[in-house]
Amino acid sequence: EHHKGVDFLLDAIKDIKTDVQLIIAGEGTFSMRVKRLAEKDGRINYLGFVSLEQLINCFGIIDALVVPSRGYEKSPTVIYEALNAVIPVLASDIGGVGELVEDKTNGILFHPGSKKDLLRAIEEMNAWKEEASEMQEEIQETVAPYAIEIYVDKLVQLIKSLKDVE
C-alpha cells in the first residue's frame, strides 16, 4: 500500500549502486506492479503473501528488513519478529517505527520518503552488517521489553491500579 512505502522503495532501488537483492513479501494494491518489476529486475524477488513459517525462512537469508513506511504506524509486528530473529531493521523514522529502531543498535533510521536518505541508510547497512551480526544479544535485548509476558504483566498491573481507584 502507498502508506507502507513499497513504491518508494522500488523507485529507490533503481539508484542503488551496491549489489543488493530485495525480497518483497505481502500483498496489496501494488502487487501487480511489484510482480512486473521483479520480472524485469533480477535484484527484486516478489513472494506475495507469506505464512509466518515462510517469513521466518526469509529471515534466515536476509541481512536486514526494510520498513519504508510513509504513514504513521504504531508498532509493526514485523519489526518485532525481525529483531527477535536478530535481523537489523532499516526503517523510516516515523511514528512508532522510529521508537523501535535504535540507530546502530538494532538498525538504521532514515527520513520518511527521502530517497537520498534511504540510499545512505542502505550504504551504512552494507558497511555495518558484519558488526551487526556480532551484536546478536544486543539486538534481541532491544525487543525484550515488548515480550508478550511483560505486556500482559503491565495490563494486569493497570487493571489492578484501576480497581484501587474505585
Side-chain angles (χ1 to χ4, degrees), residues 7 10 23 26-28 31-32 35-36 38 42 49-50 57-58 65 70 72 94 108 120-121 123 125 131 140 151 163:
D7 56 331
L10 290 170
I23 300 171
E27 293 182 321
S31 293
M32 289 310 296
K35 185 176 180 180
R36 283 192 304 273
F49 173 80
V50 296
N57 289 337
C58 287
L65 172 74
R70 286 187 175 118
Y72 289 89
I94 189 168
I108 298 174
R120 176 215 37 96
E123 291 296 326
M125 180 56 71
E131 184 180 336
Q140 269 189 327
Y151 179 69
K163 284 184 176 183

Side-chain angles (χ1 to χ4, degrees), residues 4 10 27 32 38 55 68 74 86 105 115 123 144 149:
K4 296 285 187 181
L10 290 170
E27 293 182 321
M32 289 310 296
L55 181 64
K74 291 183 182 182
V86 195
T105 299
K115 185 182 350 180
E123 291 296 326
E149 300 83 14

Side-chain angles (χ1 to χ4, degrees), residues 5-24 33-46 64 66 68 70 90 110 113-123 126:
V6 174
D7 56 331
F8 158 65
L9 179 59
L10 290 170
D11 183 48
I13 196 172
K14 297 173 193 170
D15 296 333
I16 296 174
K17 305 291 186 238
T18 58
D19 183 28
V20 297
Q21 290 289 312
L22 183 62
I23 300 171
I24 299 178
R33 179 178 175 211
V34 174
K35 185 176 180 180
R36 283 192 304 273
L37 283 171
E39 290 168 355
K40 293 178 186 175
D41 188 336
R43 299 175 302 162
I44 302 171
N45 299 295
Y46 177 57
V66 181
R70 286 187 175 118
L90 287 169
F110 58 90
S114 170
K115 185 182 350 180
K116 180 180 177 183
D117 204 38
L118 171 59
L119 295 174
R120 176 215 37 96
I122 290 169
E123 291 296 326
N126 273 338

